[in-house]
Amino acid sequence: MVGRIAEERIDLGSYDEKFYTVVGRGDENVKYFSKLFGVKVVPRGTELIIKGEEEAVYRLVSFIRTLLKRLEKESLTPSEARDYARDFVSSTTLGDKEEYQEEAILYTHRRKAILPRTKTQREYVNSIRNNDIVFGIGPAGTGKTYLAMAMALASLKEQRINKIILTRPAVEAGEKLGFLPGSISEKVDPYLRPLYDALFDMVDYDKAAYMLEKNIIEIAPLAFMRGRTLNDAFIILDEAQNSTKEQMKMFLTRIGFGSKVVITGDITQIDLPKKAHSGLVEAMRVLKGIEGIEFVWFSQDDVVRHPIVAKIIKAYEEFERASEEDEQGPYKD
């Protein structure tokens, strides 16, 4: 049964950067949106005429209005606008009458808005807001650490915490730091580099260096957490799949008053020795159902890196699934 037919018009204003981000080069975005939303879109000057089933028309109008609001805060390429449209379609339903809007978590020093782009990312951000401990589990490129960093910096800016602590297992196979050359900083820095990268992407280098120098932001290997009590802090444990079960228990019992903890990891990429059990995997079993602790699961659909990354993750998942089902192993003749 065909729904009611509707027609809406949206005036995009002047032929500026915002206009070309929406319509794309040679109207490529107009054609893409038309196919994606299942409506007919006719560009006429700076106006878009949208025709089709009422619900589908409403959804595209809602998306374009949301996109225009976002473009007032940050610049996007036409390609990024198409990615945003895909996220919108996958995260809303035809019956959803609420306007799809996102509040930026944080604005970087380059005035780029950081906000969740997928349904799972929004669930993750809301879980961090509403719980003391949140586990973000899933493949690389899904924004687990990046969004946690943004939430931590926003909490610091709003003075809800006094410091940020970023930690991860420094050496995957047991943290045998003494066998590495150089000072302690030189030993652990290569393993903590992804945390530095996320920080410097959001905060001006000089400001970040100041906060690191004053210990407002502390980056340290997981082994250094032992014996401490962490109050009024936002603590991120990254690469948690490479923590041992003893390290995970030690870390979780460091949490003090006024603190919030985000633990991220990918249980398909455990680098511990075969005899060692992952602390993240054990925590998933032990802590399930405890009030104030939330688990959020990401998939390849949440990957926000190059589109081919999601395809790579999916290919590996399918290969590993087929290998498990094949009694003779993945290298059958």
Side-chain angles (χ1 to χ4, degrees):
M1 180 179 177
V2 178
R4 293 174 57 187
I5 302 301
E7 177 179 318
E8 291 284 343
R9 295 170 181 254
I10 295 182
D11 190 354
L12 301 177
S14 60
Y15 289 100
D16 56 10
E17 182 182 355
K18 185 188 301 184
F19 174 86
Y20 288 107
T21 296
V22 176
V23 302
R25 182 180 300 175
D27 293 340
E28 62 179 344
N29 280 11
V30 171
K31 298 170 186 174
Y32 181 83
F33 296 154
S34 178
K35 184 177 180 181
L36 183 67
F37 287 84
V39 296
K40 182 178 180 181
V41 184
V42 180
R44 185 172 295 169
T46 62
E47 189 176 59
L48 295 181
I49 304 172
I50 305 168
K51 301 178 181 179
E53 290 191 27
E54 186 178 43
E55 294 284 4
V57 169
Y58 171 85
R59 202 154 56 137
L60 178 53
V61 170
S62 178
F63 165 72
I64 292 175
R65 287 174 177 167
T66 303
L67 176 60
L68 291 171
K69 288 180 181 178
R70 183 172 175 183
L71 289 172
E72 292 174 0
K73 302 175 182 177
E74 63 171 318
S75 296
L76 294 176
T77 65
S79 175
E80 289 173 330
R82 293 195 295 274
D83 291 342
Y84 194 39
R86 282 200 303 273
D87 293 339
F88 178 92
V89 169
S90 66
S91 304
T92 60
T93 63
L94 283 173
D96 186 2
K97 289 293 185 179
E98 292 184 6
E99 187 174 0
Y100 182 90
Q101 297 185 51
E102 292 296 348
E103 289 291 334
I105 300 169
L106 183 76
Y107 286 92
T108 71
H109 60 290
R110 299 184 183 92
R111 297 304 299 163
K112 177 183 177 182
I114 299 175
L115 41 75
R117 297 192 177 192
T118 70
K119 183 178 180 180
T120 307
Q121 287 187 351
R122 287 191 291 278
E123 178 188 347
Y124 181 57
V125 168
N126 288 332
S127 294
I128 293 172
R129 288 191 178 113
N130 299 322
N131 294 275
D132 294 326
I133 301 175
V134 174
F135 288 80
I137 303 170
T142 50
K144 303 183 300 294
T145 304
Y146 196 79
L147 289 173
M149 178 75 78
M151 292 292 287
L153 288 168
S155 296
L156 185 65
K157 183 178 180 181
E158 294 164 10
Q159 297 184 338
R160 286 186 274 119
I161 56 167
N162 293 329
K163 72 179 301 181
I164 297 171
I165 300 174
L166 311 172
T167 184
R168 67 188 319 210
V171 179
E172 287 81 357
E175 298 198 18
K176 297 178 182 178
L177 305 181
F179 292 95
L180 297 175
S183 65
I184 188 62
S185 176
E186 292 169 333
K187 291 174 191 283
V188 303
D189 270 4
Y191 300 97
L192 305 178
R193 182 50 51 187
L195 297 174
Y196 284 105
D197 290 342
L199 173 62
F200 292 135
D201 190 50
M202 299 179 195
V203 181
D204 175 79
Y205 182 86
D206 290 338
K207 184 176 181 180
Y210 171 82
M211 289 192 289
L212 287 166
E213 180 184 353
K214 297 298 183 182
N215 218 31
I216 299 171
I217 297 178
E218 177 185 348
I219 302 180
L222 180 57
F224 286 15
M225 295 296 105
R226 190 173 300 278
R228 301 179 61 182
T229 300
L230 309 173
N231 295 315
D232 299 313
F234 195 116
I235 310 151
I236 301 173
L237 170 56
D238 191 32
E239 296 290 328
Q241 76 276 5
N242 290 326
S243 65
T244 65
K245 59 182 183 179
E246 293 82 8
Q247 288 173 333
M248 179 60 75
K249 181 179 179 181
M250 174 274 293
F251 172 75
L252 290 170
T253 54
R254 301 303 95 204
I255 302 168
F257 293 105
S259 288
K260 189 178 290 286
V261 175
V262 179
I263 298 167
T264 69
D266 179 0
I267 58 175
T268 68
Q269 297 193 38
I270 298 172
D271 298 312
L272 291 167
K274 291 183 179 180
K275 292 183 179 180
H277 297 287
S278 169
L280 177 58
V281 173
E282 182 178 75
M284 288 160 45
R285 299 168 182 158
V286 174
L287 304 178
K288 184 179 180 181
I290 295 179
E291 185 177 354
I293 300 178
E294 192 76 23
F295 289 85
V296 179
W297 296 87
F298 293 82
S299 69
Q300 70 267 10
D301 295 332
D302 300 299
V303 173
V304 290
R305 292 180 180 172
H306 192 289
I308 201 169
V309 174
K311 296 178 182 178
I312 291 170
I313 293 170
K314 184 176 181 181
Y316 269 99
E317 287 179 350
E318 291 174 352
F319 176 79
E320 290 165 2
R321 192 180 305 116
S323 298
E324 291 174 359
E325 295 172 356
D326 187 348
E327 293 181 356
Q328 298 185 36
Y331 304 107
K332 180 181 178 182
D333 292 331

